Amino acid sequence: MVRGAGDAPEYCTVEAAMEVLGGKWKLAIVKVLLTGTHRFAALQRALPTITPRMLTRQLRELESDRILRRTVYAEVPPRVEYDLTELGAGLAELVEWLDRWGREYRKVRA
């Protein structure tokens, strides 16, 4: 859940969103999951500079905040898949906009 966002005044909605999505990796994970369901190893390959420990932590937080869903299949060996919830899929337009903005910013900085 959004940590402390329920007590925040209405004008702090951006702050509430940043509580859930802030940091280096969360929106990058969402961007990958916008392409479909992925297993842990596939997420690691898509984000090669993230450590397994950090990926696990970010996935747990996104699951706790209901942005993604973790599905464990009763198989041997166990199979775990991650996909976006409806709430997480609602971030598609924001992620696309930020991706375009980031590309333009890199051009300006080059």
Side-chain angles (χ1 to χ4, degrees):
M1 290 297 188
V2 176
R3 297 160 267 306
D7 301 329
E10 185 62 28
Y11 63 83
C12 292
T13 54
V14 171
E15 187 176 326
M18 291 305 296
E19 281 287 323
V20 175
L21 301 170
K24 182 176 180 179
W25 296 109
K26 288 183 179 178
L27 284 173
I29 292 168
V30 169
K31 181 181 176 188
V32 173
L33 290 175
L34 282 167
T35 66
T37 301
H38 286 70
R39 293 174 73 174
F40 188 88
L43 289 168
Q44 274 193 297
R45 284 190 299 274
L47 304 164
T49 58
I50 192 170
T51 65
R53 182 173 182 230
M54 180 57 74
L55 179 56
T56 298
R57 180 178 169 196
Q58 299 298 284
L59 289 169
R60 285 181 182 158
E61 289 179 13
L62 288 166
E63 180 184 16
S64 174
D65 289 326
R66 299 185 189 146
I67 303 299
L68 64 79
R69 176 179 27 253
R70 179 179 184 264
T71 306
V72 180
Y73 295 90
E75 300 174 353
V76 177
R79 176 172 48 117
V80 179
E81 294 181 339
Y82 299 90
D83 68 315
L84 294 175
T85 62
E86 188 175 332
L87 184 62
L91 295 167
E93 192 175 325
L94 171 68
V95 170
E96 290 170 18
W97 187 90
L98 286 170
D99 190 54
R100 283 192 307 272
W101 187 90
R103 287 180 202 186
E104 290 301 315
Y105 180 74
R106 282 186 161 180
K107 288 178 189 174
V108 171
R109 296 271 310 185

